[in-house]
Amino acid sequence: MSSYTDPAIRITLLPRDTNSAGTIFGGVILSYIDMAGAIEAHRRTRMDRFVTVAMREVIFHKPVFVGDLVSFYAEILSIGNTSITVRVIVEAERVAASSERVRVTEAEVVYVAVDEHRRKTAINKPAV
């Protein structure tokens, strides 16, 4: 991970995000992973439109609780002609407990760049 100091997203999750066990729904976490990955794809390529085509290797390591400060860190793994793969690491800061930071989830997300007509388009490769 290139930077654990600059998350793509940081949020505190609320009671409305919980399941019947009192932890945060996995689907809520997946939604934020998708947003964090897309933010990084946009930031890196300066392209306007991406669509999500796959989430790979989603691993839920630990639960997320109401009140946790959750950070979504993203890094580019690869850039192809029309697709970009982003790794997203999710950490929770247990604010209510001891301010412990734990890795709770990680995933790889694949996006395809599309034009205003929703057709695949070439990705502008960033200068290295």
Side-chain angles (χ1 to χ4, degrees), residues 41-42 44-50 113-114 121-124:
H42 288 288
R44 182 74 176 273
T45 66
R46 301 293 183 220
M47 297 199 59
D48 291 335
R49 295 178 186 87
F50 285 96
V114 295
T121 189
I123 291 178
N124 302 326

Side-chain angles (χ1 to χ4, degrees), residues 80-91:
N81 291 327
T82 61
S83 67
I84 186 167
T85 303
V86 182
R87 180 174 184 225
V88 179
I89 301 293
V90 185
E91 283 190 350

Side-chain angles (χ1 to χ4, degrees), residues 11-19 23-26 28 32 66:
I11 189 166
T12 298
L13 294 165
L14 303 171
R16 68 172 181 240
D17 302 316
T18 60
N19 57 31
T23 59
I24 303 302
F25 273 114
V28 170
Y32 285 112
V66 171

Side-chain angles (χ1 to χ4, degrees), residues 5 8 25-26 49 59 72 79 108 111 119:
T5 59
F25 273 114
R49 295 178 186 87
I59 302 169
F72 297 78
I79 301 175
E108 285 184 16
Y111 302 92
R119 291 185 297 242

